[in-house]
Amino acid sequence: MANYPTPHINATPEDFAKTVLMPGDPLRAKFIAETFLTDAKLVNNVRGVQGYTGTWKGKRVSVMASGMGMPSIGIYSHELYNFFGVENIIRVGSAGAYNKDVHVRDIVIAQGASYDSNYVEQFHLPGTFSAISDYTLLRTAVAQAEEKKLRYHVGNIHSSDIFYGDLENVPDMVKPIQAWSKMGVLAVEMEAAALYMNAARAGKRALAICTISDSLVTGEATTAEERQSSFTEMITLALDTAAAMEA
């Protein structure tokens, strides 16, 4: 018996390519499809979460929004992996730098994702799980970034459930940004760890590629115009990684 359509995706497995790019914002999914893909077709619009399939450099690629936060990307990635035959999901999004050497407009390729979420509890593990990316996707993305001569970093990021943190009663000695940074964590975002966990459970591949939109260390931030151009570098990097997986 078919497990589709699901409550969140009104499509069939044939509608999706083996690799899906996942920005958080549905409008960014639309932008990627209309700007970069050839013959892009809308395959899902349930709850306004737009999904498209087209081609990039002759290779079939899909793009669909994940929404914000681990619960949201958890739903969409679970359904894509388990019901729609998707093999690879590449998150493309923004992140805030934790490290003084990671600057706005830089690209961070997330080798691993630390987290402050309880998302992992559903797996009933007798220990602590390390949420890591797929090595094949990681290696492919790094090779593409080298070829393009992009300014990029590879390492650990922090996936957080919290955007507005209440630090009113936190002692001065406990500073979350500095605490993560001293452990070599490069940046913070809100989705990658859940994506990596779902991929591990499904036996599929996942990678997060993020553009630094602001620095939580220096206060440096991009303008809307700068974000557009730097996000384009990230998107083409992700698309070329997706195409390479089809070679």
Side-chain angles (χ1 to χ4, degrees):
M1 182 177 176
N3 290 309
Y4 54 86
T6 64
H8 310 93
I9 303 174
N10 185 16
T12 68
E14 291 73 25
D15 290 324
F16 288 99
K18 293 300 181 183
T19 301
V20 177
L21 270 60
M22 293 201 88
D25 185 352
L27 292 179
R28 183 158 288 133
K30 184 175 187 288
F31 170 79
I32 293 171
E34 293 180 346
T35 305
F36 297 92
L37 297 186
T38 301
D39 298 325
K41 176 186 175 185
L42 182 69
V43 297
N44 182 66
N45 198 23
V46 177
R47 298 177 179 232
V49 175
Q50 299 176 4
Y52 297 83
T53 296
T55 60
W56 169 258
K57 296 182 177 178
K59 305 295 185 180
R60 198 162 180 257
V61 180
S62 296
V63 55
M64 193 176 85
S66 70
M68 288 192 294
M70 283 181 264
S72 187
I73 199 171
I75 290 170
Y76 290 107
S77 61
H78 178 92
E79 293 185 2
L80 289 173
Y81 282 140
N82 293 286
F83 305 141
F84 293 94
V86 170
E87 295 293 328
N88 314 298
I89 296 178
I90 303 174
R91 163 164 157 68
V92 286
S94 59
Y98 275 173
N99 185 299
K100 64 180 176 59
D101 296 321
V102 178
H103 301 287
V104 297
R105 298 180 294 280
D106 285 4
I107 290 172
V108 171
I109 304 172
Q111 182 177 15
S114 299
Y115 49 92
D116 54 31
S117 171
N118 283 329
Y119 191 87
V120 73
E121 296 301 315
Q122 66 181 298
F123 302 110
H124 308 291
L125 300 169
T128 302
F129 181 74
S130 297
I132 60 172
S133 62
D134 172 75
Y135 179 69
T136 300
L137 279 175
L138 177 69
R139 179 184 61 192
T140 303
V142 171
Q144 293 289 339
E146 283 287 321
E147 184 177 316
K148 297 174 187 300
K149 296 180 170 53
L150 300 178
R151 197 166 68 185
Y152 74 94
H153 309 264
V154 178
N156 201 354
I157 63 172
H158 172 207
S159 294
S160 181
D161 277 342
I162 301 165
F163 189 88
Y164 298 107
D166 186 354
L167 302 178
E168 183 177 349
N169 296 313
V170 175
D172 287 342
M173 68 181 69
V174 182
K175 297 183 184 296
I177 295 171
Q178 288 88 336
W180 288 109
S181 180
K182 74 180 181 182
M183 296 301 291
V185 176
L186 300 174
V188 60
E189 51 83 76
M190 302 185 74
E191 289 83 23
L195 174 62
Y196 289 3
M197 291 178 207
N198 278 3
R201 180 66 181 88
K204 303 295 181 77
R205 296 187 175 106
L207 180 66
I209 303 174
C210 294
T211 297
I212 298 299
S213 58
D214 59 306
S215 173
L216 301 175
V217 179
T218 67
E220 186 183 13
T222 54
T223 65
E225 191 172 88
E226 288 170 330
R227 281 195 296 272
Q228 185 64 57
S229 61
S230 57
F231 274 38
T232 295
E233 290 184 344
M234 171 185 65
I235 292 163
T236 55
L237 172 60
L239 286 168
D240 284 343
T241 301
M245 297 299 291
E246 297 293 326

